[in-house]
Amino acid sequence: MRVLVISDIHANYTALEAALIDGGEVDETWCLGDLVGYGPDPNEVVEKVRDIKNLTYLLGNHDVAVIGRMPLETFNGEARRSLLHHGKVLTASNKEFMRALPSNTTVRGEATLAHGSPRDPLWEYILNSLTARLNFEHFDTPWCFVGHSHIQCMFALDEEQDRVSLEKVKPDVPIILRRKLILNPGSVGQPRDRDPRAAYAIYDTTACTWTPRRVEYNIAEVQQRIRAAGLPEKHAIRIAEGW
Ligand code: ZN
């Protein structure tokens, strides 16, 4: 089975469309959260995701905030401004769709899915090997797929040496899944690893591989819509630079 793994779309419709086209034919799509926040297209993104067949979806922290399950004060000023705007423009039907989705971890075959981390699904960022090490104890499957940090990366547990390492991943170079791993497909709509291209991954359950992917999209067009909507300028600048 070929699975498209996407995360952190953040209301960037152009990036989502590019990733879906580039991903090609898939049997399932697993989305690790954050449809909204930051970008200009919350309704378009939710509607596009609603149309995806065989979808597994987890809510992210921005999603939970926009449907009123988390106080907006937990977000910094600029992130909060976008969420306030999204809360106003999202249609009732799109909010209803989001309210029906889970915000906890989910197990799909050999993978545990979480937005942030398996031990703290909504909030914890796995950015270093220490945090990763603590999280390896919180899932029973061989792999765990997480989003939230917007960084395409992989953490590996060496059980013999009891060591956790952050390993580099390269776009289009498949990783053969062997050891216990935490994998992050990166962010579709707001990458923060200095590569502004939309990030996602293809998980092949038969070949047992994970292939990180990047695809270019029309960033200028999205920046224009961010500015036209009166959203913070910072959100326009960062998508062009990948931070
Ligand atoms: Zn996010």
Side-chain angles (χ1 to χ4, degrees), residues 8 10 33-34 36 38 61-62 115 148-150 187 190 192:
D8 299 278
H10 287 298
D34 278 354
V36 302
Y38 303 118
N61 51 319
H62 289 255
H115 177 61
H148 195 44
S149 70
H150 299 206
S187 165
Q190 194 197 74
R192 293 181 190 161

Side-chain angles (χ1 to χ4, degrees), residues 22 64 74 113 138 140 214 219:
D22 194 64
V64 171
T74 47
L113 316 183
H138 289 262
D140 299 321
R214 300 306 277 239
I219 293 171

Side-chain angles (χ1 to χ4, degrees), residues 4 12 40 49 58 65 107 118-119 137 143 167 174 213 216 232 236:
L4 174 73
N12 184 337
V49 168
L58 300 175
V107 174
R119 69 169 185 173
E137 289 161 26
W143 355 111
E167 293 184 20
R213 308 264 300 235
E216 278 180 28

Side-chain angles (χ1 to χ4, degrees), residues 176-243:
I176 296 158
L177 301 173
R178 278 201 211 98
R179 294 167 292 170
K180 198 157 175 169
L181 300 169
I182 296 173
L183 294 142
N184 191 321
S187 165
V188 172
Q190 194 197 74
R192 293 181 190 161
D193 45 15
R194 296 281 165 186
D195 179 345
R197 295 177 297 169
Y200 69 95
I202 296 288
Y203 169 42
D204 188 322
T205 62
T206 319
C208 227
T209 55
W210 169 275
T211 309
R213 308 264 300 235
R214 300 306 277 239
V215 57
E216 278 180 28
Y217 69 95
N218 191 335
I219 293 171
E221 191 180 89
V222 181
Q223 290 180 308
Q224 269 175 19
R225 291 199 300 274
I226 289 176
R227 289 173 180 136
L231 294 168
E233 177 63 16
K234 182 181 168 188
H235 303 334
I237 297 168
R238 67 191 301 178
I239 56 167
E241 295 173 2
W243 54 272

